[in-house]
Amino acid sequence: ETQLRTLKTECEFDGVVLPVGGERTSQWVFIKASNDANALLDDFADRVGVYHGVDRPTDRPPSVFCSWQFYGESFNEQDFHEDLAHLQKERIPFDVFLIDDCWTIRGDYDVNKEWSHGMQDAAKRIAALGYRPGIWNCPYIARIESNMTKDRPEWLLRLKDGSPHLFYVNGPNYVLDPTYPGVCDFWEDMFRRMTHDWGFTYHKLDFMRAVFLDPNIQFYNPAVTRLEAYQMGLEAIRRGAGPDAYISVCGGHYGASLGLANSQRSGSDVASNWHQPPALPKFKQNILRTWMSRLWHVDPDAMM
């Protein structure tokens, strides 16, 4: 037998500012022992769900056709119309037709010239075939060349030395500060427009980790931790999209998404090549996170 001799816990408060006499409460620490690892995980997941008021998902996870898996960022309106024409002749049984990264510059969310009929037209065409319209976006980051970074430089998240916080994916990107006045209002309005005006009721949110990865981040509001800032943004997105929209979080924080996300991505990117990069670690990631199905739909992103 082995005995627990010591236990050390660490809670990161990110050096937040407290008013005189103010208090901050750490996360809970829960310890339980058993010979049945699966039973322990099930019990823990249920305790987390009950504590945070998160109901167990009752419906099955939606199946998703994602444009990225075949087209990547080259997907355009012509490809889209050709795909819909094929589906009209030969229907494939999936639930969501998801237009992934291809339709906008990160940070601006203006429709690019490859989609001349606009995204409202695209959503209507998807719905007309009986599929649920889905759309990709990455609300927390903005391309350096985007209009957002030129028009709203004060919205950019900064490090403690005053320099902009950069998030690297296909080159450097700026990150928006959820605590700066007006940023969460922008996200709320944007998702209200995409959901209720355009007609997209399934949202894939990508690169959500950008706002909490670096411990040297300095938010405009010094009393907010990284995870609180992340949650502020996701709450604004949920308010805009509404309670009936489906929100799939990719690369986000599990704890700070509780009660806000309908699904959470459970592994890193997959590719069609079995060995480069190796596939086995990605299978392990997904298998080790299946217990989270008590809290939301566990999303492996793509099947191999």
Side-chain angles (χ1 to χ4, degrees):
E1 292 185 3
T2 59
Q3 292 183 338
L4 179 65
R5 296 183 180 274
T6 62
L7 175 68
K8 179 182 178 180
T9 63
E10 183 176 343
C11 183
E12 297 181 3
F13 283 111
D14 294 342
V16 295
V17 175
L18 282 178
V20 175
E23 293 182 354
R24 294 301 299 254
T25 303
S26 71
Q27 296 172 316
W28 285 93
V29 176
F30 175 74
I31 302 173
K32 184 178 180 179
S34 170
N35 292 325
D36 188 337
N38 289 325
L40 282 175
L41 283 172
D42 289 343
D43 178 66
F44 172 72
D46 195 53
R47 287 175 182 270
V48 170
V50 171
Y51 180 80
H52 290 280
V54 178
D55 294 332
R56 183 184 298 274
T58 56
D59 52 346
R60 66 174 179 80
S63 55
V64 182
F65 168 85
C66 176
S67 64
W68 183 267
Q69 303 303 336
F70 181 77
Y71 297 96
E73 61 185 356
S74 67
F75 192 53
N76 57 41
E77 194 172 65
Q78 181 178 347
D79 298 325
F80 172 67
H81 289 167
E82 289 175 358
D83 286 347
L84 293 188
H86 177 84
L87 291 170
Q88 192 167 21
K89 296 178 182 178
E90 184 178 343
R91 182 178 179 82
I92 299 174
F94 58 83
D95 301 311
V96 179
F97 191 112
L98 174 67
I99 299 174
D100 208 280
D101 184 9
C102 67
W103 63 273
T104 187
I105 294 178
R106 295 170 189 168
D108 287 342
Y109 297 98
D110 293 326
V111 184
N112 64 35
K113 62 182 180 180
E114 299 293 334
W115 296 81
S116 59
H117 289 84
M119 304 316 291
Q120 186 180 58
D121 176 79
K124 286 181 178 178
R125 291 174 182 267
I126 294 170
L129 289 181
Y131 297 111
R132 186 172 192 172
I135 195 167
W136 168 97
N137 48 77
C138 52
Y140 287 175
I141 69 174
R143 294 289 294 178
I144 288 180
E145 66 272 17
S146 67
N147 291 325
M148 166 72 75
T149 62
K150 301 170 187 175
D151 298 338
R152 295 286 188 176
E154 70 276 12
W155 284 9
L156 302 183
L157 183 57
R158 299 190 175 274
L159 301 177
K160 292 177 181 178
D161 63 5
S163 62
H165 170 42
L166 295 178
F167 178 78
Y168 288 85
V169 56
N170 303 125
N173 299 266
Y174 289 129
V175 181
L176 303 187
D177 185 342
T179 74
Y180 197 93
V183 173
C184 283
D185 292 336
F186 167 76
W187 286 327
E188 184 175 342
D189 292 342
M190 181 177 72
F191 278 85
R192 184 176 293 110
R193 180 172 68 256
M194 288 194 293
T195 306
H196 302 290
D197 295 346
W198 293 0
F200 288 95
T201 60
Y202 182 105
H203 299 280
K204 175 182 174 182
L205 312 183
D206 214 347
F207 311 127
M208 299 291 280
R209 62 191 180 277
V211 81
F212 64 76
L213 275 184
D214 195 326
N216 292 311
I217 286 171
Q218 180 63 62
F219 293 106
Y220 175 80
N221 184 343
V224 174
T225 67
R226 285 175 286 158
L227 294 192
E228 288 171 335
Y230 166 91
Q231 193 171 52
M232 285 173 60
L234 192 52
E235 286 172 343
I237 291 168
R238 172 56 78 186
R239 287 196 301 271
D244 297 327
Y246 193 100
I247 292 180
S248 177
V249 174
C250 296
H253 190 274
Y254 296 110
S257 299
L258 285 166
L260 297 169
N262 297 95
S263 70
Q264 277 269 19
R265 181 167 162 174
S266 54
S268 52
D269 272 333
V270 295
S272 57
N273 189 309
W274 187 262
H275 296 294
Q276 296 294 332
L280 186 58
K282 305 175 191 305
F283 281 99
K284 290 180 179 179
Q285 288 174 340
N286 288 300
I287 291 171
L288 290 173
R289 291 172 178 152
T290 56
W291 64 269
M292 293 183 178
S293 59
R294 161 63 180 86
L295 307 172
W296 43 59
H297 292 146
V298 176
D299 176 18
D301 187 61
M303 294 185 292
M304 300 181 68

